Amino acid sequence: MAGLKGFSLHALAALCGVSALGLQKPLSGSEQLPIADGASSPSSKKQLVDSDALQGTIRGDALLARAEELYEIAKLSEDEYNRPTRVIGSAGHSGTLKYIHYALTALGDYYTLSKQPFPAFSGTVRQHQLVLGDKVLFDAQPMGLTPPTRDNEPVNGDLVLVANEGCEASDYPSEVSGNIALILRGTCPFGTKSERAGRAGALAAVVYNYENESVSGTLGAPSPDHVATFGLSGGDAAPYVKKLKNGEKVEATAFMDAEVKTIRTNNIIAQTVQGDPDNCVMLGGHSDSVSEGPGVNDDGSGSLALLEIATQLTNFSVNNCVRFAWWSGEEEGLLGSNYYAENLPEEENMKIRLFMDYDMLASPNFAYQVYNATDDANPVGSEELRDLYIDWYTAHDLNYTLIEFDGRSDYDGFIRAGIPAGGIATGAEVKKTEEEEDMFGGRAGIPFDPCYHQSCDDVGNLNMTAWELNTKLVAHSVATFAKSFEGFPNRTDALDAKANKTKKGPYQGPKLIM
Ligand code: DTR
Ligand code: ZN
Ligand code: ZN
């Protein structure tokens, strides 16, 4: 398999510390051209990278072989999670990191590799229950990264309605202490509400939605003042809000058997040795999945596309440096990419000409989606990157849609740091419309990826046509800027661009934070 020369499932087994007996036959490296042995010859003797040439090295079967290996790695978590997963802290995720690092190391000295460790948080809720009055609220949802109730046991008290939206200390009446706070969603993050409730002495908190639907999000980075916190639909909360506003008493019992672990994890960064180090094109995908499944599309499709392109790029020389990133902790709220972007010294920030995010490139019921970044709302250059994608799909007589640039994936930290960014995707839980069925085929009325964040996000969940095509587009984006930034806006003062023209949405990664 191109790019897998000498890399076999047996090697994978060895590096992941599992018996190869359970794995399929080793992959041979013989039947693919071009074999990525470019790493072995000096860059100066290589052809300058060219979009068509790099796109020409992309093969669906090489991508599929990597997906099959990734699924085998996800199965390393079965003992602990009873299912394949690559969630941070799992054997499946550490196996993913080893796989990526091993594959990059096999490319010799074409890249400078680095691991960026950072503290991440992983939350588990074993059991939970919320009882209001004499009713069990079955749709009450534990917030992500919620702490347990005291001693992981049920706590009882009065339900106390907090004023406004519970974003200020003054919103919490003294009655909250020793009782359970009922807080309206909005204005500030769930984590702030939980922290305020804890500081007011609440035993637990319930955040109720301003809409009828249920609400579940994350408290974000743990705080010692966080308390066990549920999300509740506006419909479920309404009768209790009414009672409390009428001065009636409502008893409550909250039970949250939960644990939040701090884990050390790593981003992996690979930068071409060759190429102008002051003018880097950067691209990323995330190496982790949710705990519910193996994440072969989300985001194996993006992170493996990057690995395949990084492998094939070694056949070429580059004028500008190319920096690949595999982010950890995206699913917990963009932890790795935010950590990276927020810790960039300004001088290093200015060397990144743009960041391209590749997260879900192979959804089974795909649409070709381009993030609708604009230079008015985002760092200048974001719109030009958007137009590169639009031009490529158009040149290939393909339809595309523009989707919200709403902070739901790893570009968010970069645009907040003033770095132009963008990317493409093929869709998640949102349902395909009739019009999109006409544009892309597939089926209207079902999600772009019906296995989004589920155990069925496995190799069978990949649309190979979309994946191979999008990987060629990723290759085009890499080759274009690795060759030249001509016509692409220069970085202005990072601090200016950090004026943060982008309004913070309710999402941080796939998690609702408010
Ligand atoms: N890939 C998703 C996050 C994500 C990025 N863009 C969108 C758009 C619509 C839904 C989800 C997303 C994930 O990592 O869960
Ligand atoms: Zn993702
Ligand atoms: Zn996800």
Side-chain angles (χ1 to χ4, degrees):
M1 299 289 169
L4 296 179
K5 177 171 179 277
F7 189 89
S8 73
L9 284 180
H10 285 269
L12 169 71
L15 74 94
C16 293
V18 292
S19 153
L21 298 179
L23 300 177
Q24 297 145 11
K25 71 174 179 58
L27 298 168
S28 71
S30 56
E31 66 274 25
Q32 296 301 325
L33 284 175
I35 295 283
D37 58 3
S40 56
S41 61
S43 293
S44 54
K45 292 187 176 170
K46 295 173 185 172
Q47 158 195 356
L48 177 63
V49 69
D50 161 79
S51 176
D52 289 341
L54 187 59
Q55 289 184 59
T57 68
I58 302 303
R59 299 272 189 283
D61 50 6
L63 293 169
L64 183 58
R66 289 191 185 278
E68 287 162 348
E69 291 182 326
L70 194 68
Y71 184 72
E72 291 304 311
I73 292 170
K75 286 165 67 177
L76 296 173
S77 298
E78 286 177 328
D79 288 349
E80 186 182 3
Y81 287 82
N82 298 319
R83 60 186 180 271
T85 176
R86 298 182 299 109
V87 67
I88 58 170
S90 69
H93 185 246
S94 57
T96 300
L97 296 180
K98 288 174 184 172
Y99 174 77
I100 292 167
H101 197 263
Y102 181 96
L104 293 168
T105 307
L107 299 173
D109 61 3
Y110 189 85
Y111 293 103
T112 302
L113 301 186
S114 57
K115 290 180 184 177
Q116 183 185 39
F118 66 93
F121 309 104
S122 179
T124 306
V125 176
R126 290 177 285 269
Q127 306 174 76
H128 65 277
Q129 189 176 72
L130 179 67
V131 181
L132 300 180
D134 58 0
K135 186 178 175 192
V136 176
L137 280 294
F138 290 106
D139 287 343
Q141 302 288 323
M143 286 284 176
L145 298 179
T146 178
T149 40
R150 189 173 51 211
D151 302 328
N152 285 62
E153 294 294 337
V155 292
N156 303 297
D158 291 339
L159 190 64
V160 178
L161 186 61
V162 167
N164 305 314
E165 288 149 333
C167 299
E168 306 300 334
S170 56
D171 294 332
Y172 293 77
S174 57
E175 292 80 7
V176 165
S177 182
N179 287 306
I180 293 164
L182 182 61
I183 312 165
L184 176 60
R185 178 186 180 192
T187 305
C188 60
F190 302 128
T192 303
K193 297 172 193 278
S194 182
E195 201 168 38
R196 294 276 188 217
R199 287 177 185 160
L203 300 175
V206 179
V207 178
Y208 67 97
N209 206 352
Y210 40 64
E211 297 167 329
N212 271 342
E213 298 80 57
S214 62
V215 61
S216 73
T218 179
L219 299 183
S223 156
D225 293 318
H226 279 165
V227 288
T229 303
F230 294 87
L232 193 62
S233 72
D236 280 350
Y240 303 101
V241 172
K242 186 176 178 184
K243 284 177 185 281
L244 294 173
K245 285 183 173 175
N246 289 339
E248 294 177 50
K249 185 179 167 71
V250 175
E251 288 203 22
T253 300
F255 172 42
M256 192 81 78
D257 176 13
E259 179 184 11
V260 179
K261 291 187 288 189
T262 300
I263 51 175
R264 299 289 301 175
T265 186
N266 298 305
N267 293 322
I268 295 178
I269 311 290
Q271 179 165 318
T272 54
V273 171
Q274 198 198 24
D276 179 355
D278 296 330
N279 285 280
C280 280
V281 49
M282 187 168 188
L283 61 158
H286 63 86
S287 61
D288 63 312
S289 76
V290 289
S291 65
E292 290 80 357
V296 176
N297 181 36
D298 180 20
D299 183 32
S301 62
S303 50
L304 295 179
L306 262 60
L307 195 55
E308 185 61 19
I309 290 168
T311 301
Q312 299 304 338
L313 186 63
T314 63
N315 290 297
F316 303 93
S317 64
V318 292
N319 286 334
N320 299 312
C321 77
V322 182
R323 188 178 300 171
F324 294 84
W326 289 267
W327 306 119
S328 182
E330 186 272 352
E331 298 289 5
E332 274 65 34
L334 312 182
L335 303 182
S337 56
N338 279 346
Y339 184 86
Y340 178 88
E342 288 162 8
N343 285 282
L344 275 174
E346 184 173 339
E347 184 188 346
E348 289 304 312
N349 172 314
M350 293 301 285
K351 292 176 182 176
I352 302 172
R353 293 293 299 274
L354 76 164
F355 173 73
M356 308 184 292
D357 182 51
Y358 296 120
D359 186 353
M360 296 176 77
L361 301 181
S363 302
N365 190 31
F366 71 90
Y368 292 130
Q369 301 175 334
V370 179
Y371 287 123
N372 192 17
T374 64
D375 287 351
D376 284 345
N378 309 111
V380 173
S382 305
E383 187 168 325
E384 285 75 5
L385 175 59
R386 179 200 70 181
D387 293 347
L388 175 138
Y389 300 126
I390 290 174
D391 294 347
W392 192 90
Y393 282 127
T394 304
H396 288 74
D397 297 325
L398 292 167
N399 293 312
Y400 64 89
T401 57
L402 295 176
I403 60 171
E404 267 193 275
F405 201 40
D406 59 1
R408 285 189 73 166
S409 199
D410 289 309
Y411 54 78
D412 194 45
F414 287 84
I415 56 178
R416 289 185 188 294
I419 298 168
I424 58 171
T426 46
E429 83 282 6
V430 171
K431 290 179 180 169
K432 180 177 275 186
T433 64
E434 294 290 341
E435 183 190 6
E436 288 167 326
E437 181 183 312
D438 294 340
M439 293 168 76
F440 304 106
R443 271 186 57 201
I446 63 167
F448 296 114
D449 182 351
C451 288
Y452 176 62
H453 284 189
Q454 297 174 54
S455 58
C456 56
D457 184 5
D458 54 25
V459 177
N461 191 45
L462 297 168
N463 183 302
M464 289 309 300
T465 302
W467 192 16
E468 182 175 5
L469 186 133
N470 276 335
T471 304
K472 289 178 186 284
L473 174 47
V474 176
H476 171 66
S477 69
V478 169
T480 298
F481 296 113
K483 187 172 183 178
S484 170
F485 280 108
E486 188 180 341
F488 191 79
N490 288 313
R491 287 291 309 279
T492 54
D493 177 341
L495 288 177
D496 265 1
K498 280 186 185 172
N500 198 342
K501 294 173 278 186
T502 309
K503 182 173 172 299
K504 183 76 181 158
Y507 283 100
Q508 184 162 311
K511 303 274 188 189
L512 266 176
I513 57 169
M514 62 189 285

